């Protein structure tokens, strides 16, 4: 296996319209890194640049200790699994798997041994004599992954391989891909627009927007401490609650924010680089909003609201409320049997230590509490 190092890698298809604006990223040997972001953010283009299917407009690509920027795809030691399965329809599963090593001149006995090993790994041994038309979507994708394994690449590249499958099958194959990574110890780079795939599969994830890598890190770190409003809003289902306001207090441990018509909120951040009166945005994850006692004398971090909708989701309910004269919509998670009726008045409690605060440019301020305590 091998590491992948990207140094100021850029791509533009038309002059003055960059698709990638100079990406710097190092992927360690054996690491599973996921590129995630909305459509058109540049993540698939970067994967194709690593594979050699597109030519970089600038920068350098290294695979292991070898400079690969101008190398043809066949000399890069990578194998790519596409969204479309790219199987030969007239060949059996066995022959699809065996095609690449046969073309490389490998002996029949060794080809058979490797086919059987890949089939066992992917649990497709009973399918070896079938043709692709007789397979389900999940089975075809397993065969496509098997073709990549047969090449024994230094790096596996996955371009949204599960997007054509139904939700239940995607979940199954996510688990299988994670297990495959552990068994092979392989370097894997995976592209998806699905944040659930990204957060469940990745050792690290890179969040893309507008051809720029916004943030790189472990999924849990990016979720808890996003660097900006885009990352905060992109990660998390349901989405983070965002409340624009102005700064009333800018301390080293705590910021106080007025959200017009709603509340005064305290957030555990270091706000010393801002000034009183600055425009800011408070971010609160749905799991960090609670129902409070409406009769309590303490009004800190409280928002009066009215229940608009409750979604039953099995292990919890998602409560949608409306607050303030502008009808600000907020969401919070509740136990499945502990939800007030639609139309009832409620009081929301914001946990200061779990809140996020963003400046007028959308940049996150450093948190001073990681456990919800002040």
């Amino acid at each position: 296996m091998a590491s992948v190092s990207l140094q100021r890698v850029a791509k533009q298809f038309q002059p003055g319209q960059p698709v990638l604006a100079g990406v710097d990223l190092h992927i360690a040997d054996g690491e599973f890194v996921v590129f995630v972001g909305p459509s058109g953010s540049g993540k698939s283009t970067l994967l194709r640049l690593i594979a050699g299917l597109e030519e970089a407009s600038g920068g350098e690509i290294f695979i292991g200790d070898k400079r690969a920027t101008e190398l043809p795809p066949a000399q890069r030691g990578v194998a790519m699994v596409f969204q479309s399965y790219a199987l030969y329809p007239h060949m059996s599963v066995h022959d699809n798997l065996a095609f690449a090593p046969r073309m490389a001149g490998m002996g029949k006995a060794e080809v058979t041994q490797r086919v059987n090993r890949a089939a066992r790994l992917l649990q497709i041994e009973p399918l070896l004599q079938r043709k692709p038309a007789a397979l389900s979507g999940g089975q075809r994708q397993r065969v496509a992954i098997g073709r990549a394994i047969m090449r024994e690449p230094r790096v596996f590249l996955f371009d949204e391989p599960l997007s054509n499958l139904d939700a239940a099958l995607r979940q199954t194959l996510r688990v299988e891909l994670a297990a495959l990574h552990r068994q092979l110890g392989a370097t894997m780079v995976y592209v998806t627009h699905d944040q659930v795939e990204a957060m469940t599969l990745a050792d690290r994830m890179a969040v893309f927007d507008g051809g720029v890598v916004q943030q790189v890190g472990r999924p849990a770190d990016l979720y808890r401490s996003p660097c900006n409003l885009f990352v905060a809003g992109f990660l998390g289902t349901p989405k983070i609650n965002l409340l624009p306001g102005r700064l009333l207090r800018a301390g080293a441990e705590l910021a106080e924010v007025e959200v017009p018509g709603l509340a005064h909120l305290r957030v555990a951040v270091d706000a010393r680089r801002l000034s009183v009166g600055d425009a800011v945005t408070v971010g609160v994850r749905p799991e960090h909003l609670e129902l409070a006692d409406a009769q309590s004398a303490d009004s800190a971090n409280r928002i009066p609201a009215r229940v608009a909708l409750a979604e039953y989701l099995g292990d919890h309910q998602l409560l949608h409320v409306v607050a303030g004269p502008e009808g600000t919509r907020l969401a919070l998670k509740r136990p499945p049997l502990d939800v007030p009726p639609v139309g009832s008045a409620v009081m929301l409690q914001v946990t200061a230590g779990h809140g996020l605060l963003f400046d007028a440019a959308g940049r996150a301020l450093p948190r001073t509490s990681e456990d919800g305590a002040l």
Side-chain angles (χ1 to χ4, degrees):
M1 300 304 162
S3 62
V4 177
S5 184
L6 310 174
Q7 301 176 6
R8 304 301 300 165
V9 174
K11 178 64 179 178
Q12 57 181 13
F13 292 103
Q14 297 181 11
Q17 298 182 22
V19 178
L20 289 168
V23 174
D24 289 298
L25 181 64
H26 180 76
I27 299 167
D29 187 356
E31 192 175 23
F32 198 136
V33 170
V34 178
F35 298 167
V36 64
S39 297
S41 59
K43 57 191 186 299
S44 288
T45 299
L46 184 57
L47 196 76
R48 293 175 65 85
L49 291 175
I50 296 171
L53 301 178
E54 300 283 355
E55 183 179 347
S57 303
E60 302 289 350
I61 299 170
F62 291 86
I63 298 176
D65 56 1
K66 180 186 295 185
R67 183 176 178 275
T69 315
E70 282 89 30
L71 286 179
Q75 296 179 24
R76 296 195 179 202
V78 303
M80 193 159 178
V81 179
F82 296 91
Q83 179 178 349
S84 59
Y85 311 118
L87 303 178
Y88 296 113
H90 61 289
M91 292 184 181
S92 67
V93 169
H94 179 282
D95 289 345
N96 265 282
L97 294 175
F99 182 80
R102 281 174 178 167
M103 293 298 292
M106 188 176 295
K108 182 177 180 180
E110 187 176 356
V111 169
T112 300
Q113 183 181 23
R114 289 176 61 179
V115 167
N116 291 337
R117 185 169 64 244
R120 282 195 303 272
L121 191 62
L122 296 165
Q123 302 176 24
I124 55 173
E125 291 173 285
L127 310 177
L128 288 175
Q129 301 311 313
R130 294 189 192 180
K131 291 186 177 179
L135 304 177
S136 68
Q139 291 168 340
R140 293 180 193 181
Q141 196 56 276
R142 286 187 181 93
V143 177
I145 294 169
R147 282 170 51 112
I149 291 172
M150 292 293 291
R151 296 186 58 186
E152 296 188 342
R154 305 177 74 197
V155 179
F156 287 86
L157 306 176
F158 296 90
D159 190 7
E160 305 208 40
L162 308 184
S163 59
N164 288 335
L165 307 178
D166 62 57
L169 191 51
R170 283 202 303 272
Q171 182 175 0
T172 299
L173 287 185
R174 280 202 306 269
V175 173
E176 292 182 4
L177 272 174
L180 181 66
H181 175 248
R182 288 193 299 271
Q183 292 178 57
L184 296 177
T187 306
M188 293 185 173
V189 186
Y190 188 104
V191 162
T192 182
H193 63 275
D194 185 331
Q195 57 159 310
V196 175
E197 281 182 25
M199 296 184 75
T200 55
L201 285 172
D203 294 327
R204 287 189 304 147
M205 53 196 287
V207 181
F208 283 69
D209 185 46
V212 176
V213 176
Q214 300 291 321
Q215 190 172 2
V216 181
R218 298 186 308 163
D221 294 337
L222 269 59
Y223 184 79
R224 286 196 301 261
S225 300
C227 70
N228 59 32
L229 271 172
F230 175 81
V231 176
F234 187 80
L235 299 180
T237 302
K239 286 183 175 293
I240 191 172
N241 298 298
L242 296 175
L243 299 167
R246 67 182 184 90
L247 198 62
L248 297 179
R249 174 186 168 194
E253 298 290 333
L254 195 69
E256 187 170 346
V257 178
E258 179 189 20
V259 181
L262 285 185
H264 285 190
L265 302 177
R266 297 170 185 165
V267 187
V269 296
D270 181 352
R272 287 175 295 177
R273 66 178 175 84
L274 301 185
S275 301
V276 170
D278 284 355
V280 292
T281 300
V282 177
V284 184
R285 298 283 183 194
E287 62 269 27
H288 296 147
L289 273 178
E290 298 286 346
L291 293 182
D293 180 4
Q295 305 304 317
S296 171
D298 183 7
S299 61
N301 275 31
R302 301 205 166 188
I303 303 174
R306 191 167 298 277
V307 178
L309 175 68
E311 293 183 87
Y312 179 74
L313 299 172
D315 64 333
H316 70 279
Q317 289 204 49
L318 187 60
L319 197 64
H320 299 269
V321 302
V322 178
E326 300 298 322
T328 300
R329 290 191 168 270
L330 303 170
L332 63 151
K333 291 182 177 180
R334 296 294 301 161
L337 301 179
D338 185 18
V339 174
V342 171
S344 60
V346 294
M347 186 67 71
L348 308 181
Q349 176 75 53
V350 180
T351 306
H354 280 135
L356 301 170
L357 193 65
F358 305 90
D359 65 17
R363 296 168 300 193
L365 276 71
R367 296 176 63 190
T368 55
S369 172
E370 291 293 332
D371 59 2
L374 284 177

